Amino acid sequence: MIFHVSIPADDPQRVAEVIAEIWGGEAFRFPPWPGAWVAIAGDENGTTCEVYPRSQTMAPGEGEDDPVWPKLDESPSKYVAFHFATSTDKSEDEIVAIAKREGWRTVSCPRGEFFDVIEVWVENRLHVEVLTHAMQDDYRKNVNMEMWRWTQKEAA
């Protein structure tokens, strides 16, 4: 179970507010990290998305017991090899309307025969898959360890 994720954004407040809207939650400043915001779903799991300024990367503490700290990246990549899939109580039309209002690319598409997603390209650079109730049902039904076992058979 993943309880929270963090993502980079050019406008952390705006991104956190939109993710909170998709979830039906709220967005707040995230004081532990300079310039960061957080979207809270308000669900029983405490699902959270921390949104950091794109120019700040996470670096391990320098001492043996020092925690993570923000390290400035003078020229951060526009795209990242990261995405997440999330649920929503909203309809597909509502999600598309939110993304369109923000000027963000959105594409409704299948993931093979297993489930469908709405690709929302946050700030037109970060991939987030949004699943409506019907899409969530298909995901839960079709994505499991048995479905992935074919990958072991191919290698053998």
Side-chain angles (χ1 to χ4, degrees):
M1 167 62 67
I2 296 174
F3 291 106
H4 70 263
V5 298
S6 63
I7 61 172
D10 290 322
D11 187 342
Q13 179 179 355
R14 178 179 171 200
V15 170
E17 289 171 348
V18 173
I19 290 171
E21 180 180 0
I22 287 170
W23 285 345
E26 293 184 53
F28 304 94
R29 284 184 316 103
F30 190 61
W33 202 273
W37 280 71
V38 62
I40 309 287
D43 62 7
E44 65 280 356
N45 294 317
T47 304
T48 304
C49 181
E50 299 167 8
V51 186
Y52 301 137
R54 186 164 60 100
S55 62
Q56 294 176 14
T57 63
M58 286 187 163
E62 293 180 4
E64 189 174 309
D65 296 324
D66 293 336
V68 63
W69 63 282
K71 181 178 179 185
L72 184 63
D73 182 349
E74 299 284 338
S75 55
S77 175
K78 181 175 182 178
Y79 302 106
V80 294
F82 171 85
H83 81 283
F84 68 93
T86 191
S87 62
T88 187
D89 289 333
K90 298 189 181 316
S91 70
E92 184 170 347
D93 288 343
E94 289 173 303
I95 297 303
V96 169
I98 290 168
K100 185 174 185 171
R101 178 195 72 213
E102 296 300 319
W104 297 348
R105 174 183 167 85
T106 182
V107 180
S108 298
C109 51
R111 294 297 185 246
E113 59 198 54
F114 303 106
F115 61 97
D116 293 342
V117 300
I118 307 161
E119 287 188 3
V120 175
W121 285 85
V122 174
E123 297 182 324
N124 292 314
R125 51 167 216 82
L126 182 78
H127 177 205
V128 175
E129 296 174 339
V130 180
L131 286 75
T132 63
H133 282 289
M135 294 170 185
Q136 294 166 48
D137 290 344
D138 286 342
Y139 186 95
R140 287 185 186 104
K141 182 176 77 177
N142 294 311
V143 179
N144 52 57
M145 284 191 253
E146 189 58 40
M147 183 275 295
W148 281 101
R149 288 210 164 86
W150 71 269
T151 64
Q152 294 174 327
K153 294 173 188 167
E154 290 272 324

